[in-house]
């Protein structure tokens, strides 16, 4: 089983423990090293298990290695007392959502294998996390949202089985290339802000993409969007772009963020005239903004726009 990551999730190791380790007698399954299930709780082996009340589980505030395997936990809660925990195993439970872990800032290993989780979320405060185990990637065909922002990911990989993925968040990492996204046909949101991307590429199969966030990278040319005709939001702010080009086919565009670039030619706005639903344009901190008629010229060139930079247009 692999730690669920794209490339290096905080340079995480890969957990290769076999499923055989999950087996054991009923007593082992009903008890944990430091989280004893109330003996009054029924011992059930049916597939339709009912979640246990967390109040029936005793937690040791001094424990560093917390093992809550097969405790029938349905919701992550009440773990705030585990301030010294460095490893937390919640495998083989009934957990559907990753939540309420913000206070466990010392956590280094988190094991959530064999649960019912569909979204990777709420992990941003676990800054010391070195190993995250969710499941085999092959088991995540139903995953709809993947959030791996603010890590140390260098390469986008291991997404081939995530055919149902709709939103992918990879902001604030160390990614240098847009690649290995071909299988994500249902992706509608891709956020890869604050990385090291220098070229827009590898998006040709993302025909359902509606929102693309590429701000704070090193992109120099707008290109590679020929098949992304459903885009409604395009954010290329804070890059190195000198010309607005190759987007005249994006007729469904509603928001266009191009602030903090090097745009200096008013004729570039012609690329946006086919976007009849365009309402928001950010062009501040480009050479164009030095023009005393900056806002007026944008309104004349793009009459559907209702917001220029952070200011709404008054009629």
């Amino acid at each position: 089983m692999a730690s669920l990551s794209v490339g290096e999730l905080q340079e995480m190791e890969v957990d290769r423990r076999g499923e055989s380790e999950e087996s054991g007698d009923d007593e082992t399954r009903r008890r944990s090293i430091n989280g004893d299930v109330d003996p009054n709780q029924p011992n059930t082996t049916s597939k339709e298990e009912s979640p246990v009340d967390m109040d029936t589980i005793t937690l040791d505030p001094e424990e560093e290695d917390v093992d809550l395997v097969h405790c029938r936990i349905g919701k992550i809660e009440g773990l705030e007392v585990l301030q010294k925990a460095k490893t937390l195993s919640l495998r083989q439970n009934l957990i559907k959502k990753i939540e309420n872990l913000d206070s466990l800032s010392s956590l280094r290993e988190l094991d959530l294998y064999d649960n019912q989780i569909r979204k990777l979320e709420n992990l941003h405060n676990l800054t010391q996390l070195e190993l995250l185990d969710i499941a085999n990637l092959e088991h995540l065909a139903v995953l709809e949202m993947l959030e791996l922002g603010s890590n140390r990911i260098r390469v986008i990989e291991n997404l081939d089985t995530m055919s149902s993925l709709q939103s992918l968040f990879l902001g604030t990492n160390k990614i240098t290339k847009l690649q290995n996204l071909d299988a994500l046909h249902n992706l509608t949101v891709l956020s890869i802000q604050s990385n090291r991307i220098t070229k827009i590429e590898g998006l040709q199969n993302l025909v359902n993409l509606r929102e693309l966030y590429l701000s704070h990278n090193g992109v120099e040319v707008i290109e590679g969007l020929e098949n992304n005709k459903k885009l409604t939001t395009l954010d290329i702010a804070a890059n190195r772009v000198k010309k607005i080009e190759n987007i005249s086919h994006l007729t469904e565009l509603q928001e266009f963020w191009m602030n903090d670039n090097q745009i200096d030619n008013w004729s570039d706005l012609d690329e946006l005239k086919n976007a009849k639903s365009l309402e928001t344009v950010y062009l501040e901190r480009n050479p164009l903004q030095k023009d005393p008629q900056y806002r007026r010229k944008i309104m004349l060139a793009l009459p559907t726009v209702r917001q220029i930079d952070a200011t709404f247009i008054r009629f």
Side-chain angles (χ1 to χ4, degrees):
M1 67 197 66
S3 57
L4 182 51
S5 63
V6 182
E8 299 172 338
L9 178 50
Q10 286 199 343
E11 297 179 352
M12 289 183 177
E13 303 170 4
V14 175
D15 186 354
R16 296 293 182 186
R17 286 172 288 181
E19 294 188 15
S20 60
E21 293 183 10
E22 297 163 17
S23 63
D25 57 26
D26 290 340
E27 182 63 20
T28 300
R29 293 176 178 176
R30 295 180 60 237
R31 297 175 64 87
S32 62
I33 292 175
N34 45 41
D36 292 339
V37 178
D38 190 331
N40 293 322
Q41 290 291 329
N43 178 16
T44 177
T45 57
S46 67
K47 294 182 179 179
E48 298 299 327
E49 291 184 298
S50 298
V52 72
D53 189 333
M54 283 296 295
D55 292 337
T56 66
I57 298 178
T58 303
L59 301 172
D60 183 357
E62 301 299 318
E63 186 61 52
E64 293 187 357
D65 299 314
V66 182
D67 191 340
L68 297 172
V69 175
H70 207 290
C71 290
R72 305 206 316 276
I73 296 171
K75 181 178 181 180
I76 301 174
E77 58 184 347
L79 303 182
E80 294 80 7
V81 299
L82 302 175
Q83 292 298 305
K84 296 184 179 181
K86 293 183 178 180
T87 67
L88 174 60
S89 179
L90 289 164
R91 62 168 49 202
Q92 287 184 288
N93 281 289
L94 306 173
I95 298 167
K96 295 182 179 180
K97 183 178 182 180
I98 302 174
E99 58 186 336
N100 301 323
L101 294 173
D102 290 351
S103 63
L104 306 186
S105 56
S106 298
L107 205 61
R108 295 180 181 275
E109 297 185 14
L110 176 60
D111 188 347
L112 289 163
Y113 181 84
D114 198 6
N115 279 280
Q116 302 171 21
I117 294 167
R118 285 196 162 197
K119 293 183 180 180
L120 272 187
E121 57 188 338
N122 302 324
L123 295 170
H124 54 279
N125 283 345
L126 303 183
T127 57
Q128 301 300 313
L129 201 63
E130 296 175 354
L131 187 146
L132 172 65
D133 188 3
I134 301 289
N136 288 340
L137 296 177
E138 290 78 6
H139 296 165
L140 290 169
V142 296
L143 194 71
E144 296 178 354
M145 192 274 280
L146 181 58
E147 162 65 86
L148 291 173
S150 301
N151 283 286
R152 301 175 188 174
I153 298 168
R154 298 178 185 273
V155 179
I156 303 174
E157 58 186 353
N158 300 328
L159 299 177
D160 293 344
T161 62
M162 299 185 187
S163 56
S164 297
L165 201 64
Q166 297 178 16
S167 302
L168 176 59
F169 299 92
L170 294 168
T172 317
N173 279 287
K174 299 181 180 181
I175 299 168
T176 59
K177 185 175 183 178
L178 285 168
Q179 60 183 340
N180 300 323
L181 297 168
D182 290 347
L184 307 183
H185 303 289
N186 292 308
L187 200 69
T188 60
V189 179
L190 174 59
S191 176
I192 193 163
Q193 301 159 308
S194 300
N195 276 277
R196 301 173 181 179
I197 304 296
T198 58
K199 183 177 182 179
I200 304 175
E201 59 185 335
L203 305 178
Q204 61 274 6
N205 282 17
L206 308 186
V207 295
N208 290 306
L209 197 63
R210 293 191 173 276
E211 301 176 24
L212 176 60
Y213 301 94
L214 281 165
S215 67
H216 297 88
N217 278 283
V219 175
E220 296 183 355
V221 178
I222 304 176
E223 59 185 336
L225 301 175
E226 292 80 12
N227 294 349
N228 311 117
K229 298 178 181 179
K230 294 184 179 180
L231 277 174
T232 60
T233 299
L234 179 58
D235 178 6
I236 315 181
N239 278 278
R240 302 171 184 171
V241 178
K242 296 181 179 180
K243 181 178 179 62
I244 301 174
E245 58 185 335
N246 302 321
I247 59 171
S248 61
H249 62 292
L250 302 181
T251 58
E252 297 185 21
L253 209 58
Q254 298 175 13
E255 296 192 18
F256 181 64
W257 297 58
M258 186 53 66
N259 51 283
D260 297 280
N261 277 284
Q262 301 171 30
I263 309 302
D264 60 4
N265 194 330
W266 283 108
S267 64
D268 286 7
L269 297 187
D270 291 343
E271 282 286 310
L272 297 167
K273 288 188 175 181
N274 292 334
K276 303 302 182 183
S277 298
L278 188 65
E279 295 185 349
T280 301
V281 172
Y282 274 75
L283 287 167
E284 60 188 347
R285 291 183 295 278
N286 277 282
L288 286 181
Q289 194 181 22
K290 298 178 180 178
D291 192 319
Q293 300 295 314
Y294 169 71
R295 290 180 61 84
R296 182 173 180 273
K297 287 185 176 181
I298 293 176
M299 288 187 285
L300 289 173
L302 306 169
T304 64
V305 168
R306 296 293 178 265
Q307 179 181 338
I308 299 174
D309 302 327
T311 307
F312 285 96
I313 296 174
R314 296 181 179 180
F315 293 94

